[in-house]
């Protein structure tokens, strides 16, 4: 089984990897992560003294932590020791070891330490979003890597990967520090706070920081023409999304350049890899490659515009609206893909959007395994990458063709403003409230079988 965030179908991913990984449905509880983390990019050592409060009700008895980190002790919020299992015959969830608590406690505090290999020659066998990555002059930990303790629902097998935070970070060897959802700071130490729940990504590096009104560029110096190209595209996408959804983007995205652990192999093959943990969009090699494509025009530019538009759409579906339930993946990824096509059409023209849609249709036509009907989806449905990034976006486009652009826009705004539908009747209710005729909705449902 390939690591999470391996490349998606090329037509949908535009050379990048999925934004979501180990994504858990939203919960009424919004965790708060506090404490301190220390790391050294010259040795790969990591130490943490971290507490998590306000965990979801179903996740009070277990937590996960990266398998390369060793737990020293677990305590409650008052410092009293809490027993736990996980050393012998441990449960595993992807990159993380599962620890089971002997007793529930409102606040979970974990002290831990670990060390990871360094790859200053960038000659590792591979790299992916779940690694705690030290490349010799930077450190990269994403929410998937479980570098912080995360509450874990053992029955549903989902992590609480988003959290508010108040964290002190000290990084020996870092010139700057960045935590997802907070401004990057220059220096080797800093305190980061967010009252909004975020997937907590940490990047510490030695490169430069460039800020414009539209975007922050981390860890790479670009000439002004390339900075302007990226900034201009981000602004164009933000304007289109805001007009369509009726809500402006409050986040300024951060483009993060990362030299991957296997960058030497990627450079030799001419391959790229990236991921998005909104508002961070991380990419291997060079942000300059994105700018080059935007400046070159043609299909290269179109693919970059679509990708940027998809990731920026996660401000709406993933941040303002946190999907859950059986339509989790459709709401999170397929809606973002639909919005990206709308932006591509307005920014790059009808021909660009039509070419992209044709690639999606070609990919779906090549699919040999039957895909679940949209009205038959339930919590056990396997909605893989083909469904999320190809089939379901095409279904949304077909709905727009059935009901018209104005009613489709009202439907998308209704999805944004509504709690996630838990069944087909609730989804239909949002459509009817948006002014979609019941007969038209039924005709569309029948056509998707």
């Amino acid at each position: 089984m390939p690591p999470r965030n391996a490349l998606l179908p090329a037509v949908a991913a535009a050379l990048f990897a999925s934004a979501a990984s180990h994504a858990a449905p939203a919960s009424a509880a919004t965790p708060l992560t506090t404490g301190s983390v220390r790391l050294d990019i010259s040795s790969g050592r990591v130490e943490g003294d971290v507490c998590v409060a306000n965990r979801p009700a179903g996740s009070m008895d277990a937590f996960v932590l990266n398998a390369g980190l060793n737990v020293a002790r677990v305590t409650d919020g008052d410092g009293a020791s809490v027993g736990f299992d996980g050393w012998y015959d441990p449960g595993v969830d992807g990159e993380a070891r599962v620890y089971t608590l002997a007793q529930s406690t409102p606040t979970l505090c974990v002290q831990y330490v670990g060390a990871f290999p360094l790859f200053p020659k960038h000659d590792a066998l591979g790299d992916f979003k779940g690694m705690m990555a030290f490349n010799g002059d930077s450190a990269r930990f994403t929410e998937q890597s479980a570098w912080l303790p995360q509450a874990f629902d053992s029955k549903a097998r989902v992590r609480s990967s988003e959290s508010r935070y108040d964290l002190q970070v000290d990084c020996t060897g870092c010139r700057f520090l960045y935590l997802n959802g907070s401004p990057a700071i220059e220096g080797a130490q800093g305190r980061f706070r967010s009252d909004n729940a975020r997937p907590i990504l940490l990047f510490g590096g030695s490169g430069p920081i460039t800020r414009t009104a539209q975007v922050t560029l981390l860890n790479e110096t670009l000439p002004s023409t390339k900075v302007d190209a990226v900034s201009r595209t981000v602004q164009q996408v933000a304007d289109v999304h805001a007009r369509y959804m009726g809500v402006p983007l409050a986040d300024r995205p951060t483009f993060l350049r990362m030299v991957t652990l296997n960058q030497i192999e990627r450079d030799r093959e001419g391959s790229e890899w990236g991921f998005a943990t909104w508002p961070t969009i991380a990419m291997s090699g060079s942000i300059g490659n994105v700018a080059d494509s935007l400046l070159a025009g043609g299909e290269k530019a179109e693919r970059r515009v679509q990708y940027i538009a998809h990731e920026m759409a996660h401000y709406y579906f993933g941040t303002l609206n946190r999907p859950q339930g059986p339509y989790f993946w459709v709401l999170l990824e397929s809606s973002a893909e639909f919005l990206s096509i709308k932006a591509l059409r307005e920014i790059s023209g009808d021909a660009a959007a039509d070419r992209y849609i044709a690639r999606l249709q070609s990919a779906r036509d090549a699919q040999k395994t039957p895909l679940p009907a949209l009205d038959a989806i339930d919590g056990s449905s396997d909605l893989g990458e083909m469904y999320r990034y190809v089939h379901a976006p095409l279904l949304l486009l077909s709905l727009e063709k059935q009901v018209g652009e104005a009613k489709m826009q009202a439907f998308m705004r209704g999805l944004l403003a509504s709690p996630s539908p838990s069944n087909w009747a609730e989804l239909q209710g949002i459509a009817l409230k948006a002014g979609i005729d019941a007969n038209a909705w039924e005709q569309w449902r029948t056509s998707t079988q």
Side-chain angles (χ1 to χ4, degrees), residues 168-425:
Q168 174 69 33
V169 179
D170 294 80
C171 177
T172 302
C174 287
R175 178 184 172 274
F176 76 86
L177 289 168
Y178 171 67
L179 242 65
N180 193 52
S182 292
I185 63 168
E186 296 189 31
Q189 55 186 324
R191 187 171 179 180
F192 298 87
R193 299 183 184 89
S194 176
D195 291 328
N196 295 322
R198 304 282 190 180
I200 308 179
L201 170 151
L202 169 65
F203 192 92
S206 57
I209 303 172
T210 301
R211 297 180 176 90
T212 74
Q214 296 79 22
V215 67
T216 297
L217 306 179
L218 285 185
N219 208 35
E220 183 172 8
T221 299
L222 296 180
S224 60
T225 54
K226 295 187 178 184
V227 173
D228 291 345
V230 174
S231 295
R232 182 170 57 252
T233 301
V234 167
Q235 186 64 61
Q236 288 176 317
V237 170
D239 290 344
V240 173
H241 283 346
R243 285 196 300 270
Y244 191 82
M245 297 303 299
V247 181
L249 276 84
D251 288 333
R252 175 175 61 183
T254 294
F255 281 49
L256 169 63
R257 171 193 177 244
M258 55 178 181
V259 180
T260 62
L261 301 185
N262 63 337
Q263 192 66 50
I264 186 171
E265 179 183 8
R266 293 190 179 279
D267 290 343
R268 183 171 61 248
E269 295 176 348
S271 67
E272 293 180 327
W273 171 63
F275 60 84
T277 299
W278 183 259
T280 303
I281 301 175
M283 53 199 68
S284 67
S286 174
I287 303 169
N289 293 338
V290 175
D292 288 339
S293 296
L294 294 171
L295 291 169
E299 291 197 26
K300 288 185 178 181
E302 294 165 11
R303 287 176 178 266
R304 300 292 192 181
V305 169
Q306 183 277 327
Y307 172 74
I308 292 170
H310 176 105
E311 301 307 345
M312 291 179 64
H314 281 304
Y315 174 70
Y316 299 98
F317 295 99
T319 304
L320 290 183
N321 182 296
R322 299 181 184 277
Q324 58 181 320
Y327 301 106
F328 174 79
W329 286 115
V330 174
L331 293 169
L332 182 71
E333 293 297 347
S334 308
S335 293
E337 189 71 3
F338 173 81
L339 291 178
S340 78
I341 295 169
K342 300 296 291 183
L344 178 62
R345 186 174 296 280
E346 187 161 337
I347 294 168
S348 301
D350 288 341
D354 291 343
R355 276 192 293 269
Y356 188 76
I357 293 169
R359 288 194 290 270
L360 296 183
Q361 291 172 332
S362 177
R364 185 172 66 178
D365 290 345
Q367 172 76 11
K368 299 189 184 303
T369 305
L371 297 168
L374 189 61
D375 63 344
I377 289 174
D378 59 27
S380 63
S381 299
D382 182 11
L383 304 185
E385 293 171 352
M386 176 62 68
Y387 204 101
R388 305 171 201 172
Y389 300 97
V390 178
H391 180 60
L394 289 173
L395 295 183
L396 293 176
L397 289 168
S398 71
L399 177 61
E400 180 181 53
K401 187 175 181 180
Q402 178 79 36
V403 304
E405 292 185 0
K407 290 182 179 179
M408 186 65 188
Q409 182 183 29
F411 177 60
M412 295 300 293
R413 290 184 177 189
L415 289 175
L416 178 66
S418 303
S420 297
S422 59
N423 53 51
W424 181 256

